[in-house]
Amino acid sequence: MFPALETEIKPETLSDPYEDFMHHHLQYYGYFKGPTCLPSTGHAQIDAVGKDPLMLSSPLLRSRQLLYDELDEVNPRLREPRELFSFFSSRGPLQAPKWPIECEVIKENIHHIEWVPPEPEYFYQPTGDEKEPEIVGEEQGTVVYQLDSVPTEGAYFTSSRIGGKRGIIKELAVTLQGPEDNTLLFESRFESGNLQKAVRVGAYEYELTLRTDLYTDKHTQWFYFRVQNTRKEVTYRFTIVNLLKPKSLYAVGMKPLMYSQLDATTYNVGWRREGREIKYYKNSADDGQQPLFCLTWTVQFPHDQDTCFFAHFYPYTYTDLQCYLLSIANNPIQSQFCKPRALCRSLAGNTVYLLTITNPSRTPQEAAAKKAVVLSARVHPGESNGSWIMRGFLDFILSNSPDAQLLRDIFVFKVIPMLNPDGVIVGNYRCSLAGRDLNRHYKTVLKDSFPCIWYTKNMIKRLLEEREVLLYCDFHGHSRKNNIFLYGCNSNSRKHWLHERVFPLMLSKNAPDKFSFDSCNFKVQKCKEGTGRVVMWRMGVINSYTIESTFGGSTLGSKRDTHFTVEDLKSLGYHVCDTILDFCDPDQTKYTQCLQELKELLQQEIHKKFSNFGQDVDLEASWSDIPLSDIESSTSGSDSSLSDGLPAHLLNIANELNQKMLLKKTKKKRLQTRKQRNEQYQKNYLMRELKLAEDTPTQLSGRDKGTSLEPPLTNLVLPKNMETVQTQLSGRNKGTSLEPPLTNLVLPKNKETVQSKKPGFTASCSPKRSTNSGLGPAPDVKANWPRTRYPAPRKERSAVAAVYPSLHIYTYP
């Protein structure tokens, strides 16, 4: 502030109420950075400052709408208007998560480093001598940690606030009696944390109870908690007593994850697999309700007085996502082709982010010609492996790799990295704050109760009206199967028979040590009609998938019997990009070979099915007429939960909305304009003339014998606009192709291909395109097929600029 102004301005209030209001108003919207109000005696000084442009740089009168150069002088340019849906400020703080008002939240910020173990982490090999501790409970033990108020079944979400519950945060952990007291101090009231109660039943033995998903009485699988006051070289035993799934990967060698704060700060070591004497068994305590299961393991902490964390899988929180998106927004290169927007607000008011990723296009026609790919993750909040796959995908697609640039040239990517931020924040495993599994309610009409999926579905519906959606993938986690696999939807159309299986087969070839095609399933069950993949498939997306990633590891190839790391999951995101390019290769050799391989696999499966029943079948004659749904088994082995229906307080609202929608459907849509009415009349008139022409015998008698018996359309006088309509329809029918979805992609014309032959393909095709990306992981096992060389880096692709020019507003509808 200038000294001249400091001597004149005094802390007085304005005598004029209107001016007092306007100064408050303008300061609220960022036009002034000085005091809230100015005295009337200082008005003359302000007028003088307003006349002198050099004094506009005063902090008192500095406007955020004017741009300043490095010398702090006024540049006579207004700042560009703010984006209507922008949410990140390069200088401002992140949006703090909003919690339900029942949840207590500690003030500490929990942060973990990323680290990749230098050696493979192998599965635990059971010895058969693992103990099954008998559950003692708090009657014979000591409660050392317990959450007070946890909303369960019968309650429902009402409101939220930053920081959760009002008032002073209670100390739930016990008070240590002195330095010799070795009681562990538990805590889980942080983002994504889940632990409801800890009972000490021995000197170094604890029974743990997980919190169910909020506003429900089930879904206990995800855990993430902190322990302090540790002792090294002592064996601790932890037993989780209220798991609900009868089968688990812990029974076949999966280990829990542990994180040491001292190891992270001292040795830069992060999350690692730890645990011995791991046992998954049924809880003997029968309370007459649903059966419970226990997970027990032993562990030795590396340091005294350490702070350690345990988790079901590598955590990825809402704050982690915001930090990542902020880095994209602040990157001058990535922000040119990645536009983060707010898709909607969740039930608690947290932002659901939508990323639109594509390279600039110079004309509306080129922008409209691009096909779309839709990716989403974390509809189930406890399946954090979906976020790590999404992270790998984003790392690659936003890189300067030639393959990534090509993908951005020919596609528009719509990415929703976290569909259920409320569930992620509070540490749920499967549900939102509505107390329901969102992946069973994609057909909902309750926009206010299920905003995340309602807006997602409608975004895709609008996208389908603008362009073809080539691929929809929803990333999930799986707790009962190893490897990575997917669920798809069998096509009932002979035109696209087996085409929905080509993409997963290609993905299994690109990631043979991680992805299992044999574990994939394409049967559409009635109980899955409300899932994202089935709803999008019903809307017209042929390649609609749920990609399931295990919480455990791989049983394939070079990674056999080892746990997946964060880098393994990120690499799958890269392989998804790589497979999209293979799927859309103009040289259809790979595509047609995969179709042929799928037919052979299907023949073998049919023969195996009939052999099991002691029947013979002529596969050469009629095998392709057998419905695929009769061949495949159900997906009952999936990590699915049946829909619980709507909560009681939402049933009436849903019924009213459904009745309104039925009334709208029964009403006939009226033609709005005179032009539309005229066109309809002309169409009806034309159809009557055609019918009369077919029934007139004199017209048939005058024809030659070789003349077709079709109606003589050429002799009819068509209205001009009907000729146009008929031309368009005939052109559309002629253009209909039985080829795979992306054979008509427009790629740069000046690309030369070099033919080569490799094992695995009998026909020749082009070699693999350049994969010299610094971000794309180089898999140890290469796909056993030749690859088409896609365009070289940007500087060598002069023709691409002519085909895929710069971006306009229409690129992001």
Side-chain angles (χ1 to χ4, degrees), residues 231-243:
R231 300 291 188 272
K232 68 176 183 179
E233 298 179 355
V234 174
T235 299
Y236 289 82
R237 178 178 290 276
F238 299 97
T239 304
I240 299 176
V241 301
N242 67 329
L243 297 171

Side-chain angles (χ1 to χ4, degrees), residues 261-335:
Q261 198 74 51
L262 286 177
D263 278 348
T265 55
T266 307
Y267 307 108
N268 202 34
V269 173
W271 288 100
R272 58 183 184 265
R273 300 282 179 172
E274 290 287 352
R276 296 177 178 274
E277 301 183 47
I278 301 172
K279 183 74 174 180
Y280 193 87
Y281 61 100
K282 187 175 181 180
N283 191 333
S284 58
D286 188 4
D287 57 358
Q289 300 178 357
Q290 55 186 342
L292 300 177
F293 297 85
C294 300
L295 168 66
T296 185
W297 75 95
T298 61
V299 69
Q300 289 187 350
F301 294 110
H303 306 284
D304 285 327
Q305 303 297 329
D306 194 4
T307 296
C308 293
F309 295 83
F310 288 96
H312 180 57
F313 201 72
Y314 300 96
Y316 193 94
T317 66
Y318 183 65
T319 300
D320 292 333
L321 173 65
Q322 289 196 105
C323 291
Y324 184 76
L325 297 182
L326 182 62
S327 68
I328 295 174
N330 291 335
N331 188 307
I333 298 177
Q334 294 178 347
S335 60

Side-chain angles (χ1 to χ4, degrees), residues 752-783:
E752 298 179 357
T753 57
V754 181
Q755 300 295 323
S756 65
K757 293 185 178 180
K758 290 188 178 181
F761 269 90
T762 56
S764 62
C765 64
S766 307
K768 171 72 177 176
R769 22 170 222 289
S770 172
T771 54
N772 55 348
S773 165
L775 292 178
D780 298 333
V781 184
K782 297 291 185 181

Side-chain angles (χ1 to χ4, degrees), residues 380 383-386 429-430 475-479 547-551 639:
H380 292 153
E383 297 171 358
S384 58
N385 29 14
Y429 173 59
R430 202 167 186 87
F475 297 133
H476 285 249
H478 206 284
S479 66
I547 294 186
E548 300 274 358
S549 169
T550 180
F551 289 107
D639 254 17

Side-chain angles (χ1 to χ4, degrees), residues 22 105 154 162 257 259 276 323 335 397 413 416 421 468 494 500 505 524 580-581 707 725 750 771 811:
M22 288 304 299
V105 186
I162 295 174
L257 279 162
Y259 183 95
R276 296 177 178 274
C323 291
S335 60
I397 200 66
F413 291 91
I416 309 173
E468 177 187 344
R494 304 300 300 177
E500 74 280 350
L505 183 59
V524 178
I580 292 175
L581 284 176
T707 306
V725 171
N750 61 339
T771 54
T811 304

Side-chain angles (χ1 to χ4, degrees), residues 484-502:
I484 302 171
F485 51 96
L486 61 75
Y487 296 123
C489 302
N490 279 326
S491 177
N492 298 324
S493 170
R494 304 300 300 177
K495 171 183 174 182
H496 300 293
W497 189 61
L498 292 180
H499 285 197
E500 74 280 350
R501 305 183 182 218
V502 173

Side-chain angles (χ1 to χ4, degrees), residues 48-69:
V49 171
K51 295 177 182 178
D52 187 358
L54 296 177
M55 297 185 68
L56 284 176
S57 60
S58 165
L60 175 67
L61 298 175
R62 175 168 297 204
S63 170
R64 294 184 181 178
Q65 301 304 310
L66 294 177
L67 295 178
Y68 297 84
D69 58 21

Side-chain angles (χ1 to χ4, degrees), residues 514-534:
K514 304 181 185 71
F515 191 90
S516 170
F517 181 77
D518 293 336
S519 298
C520 297
N521 198 295
F522 300 88
K523 188 170 185 177
V524 178
Q525 296 175 274
K526 186 176 181 180
C527 62
K528 304 295 180 67
E529 286 291 336
T531 61
R533 68 175 169 96
V534 176

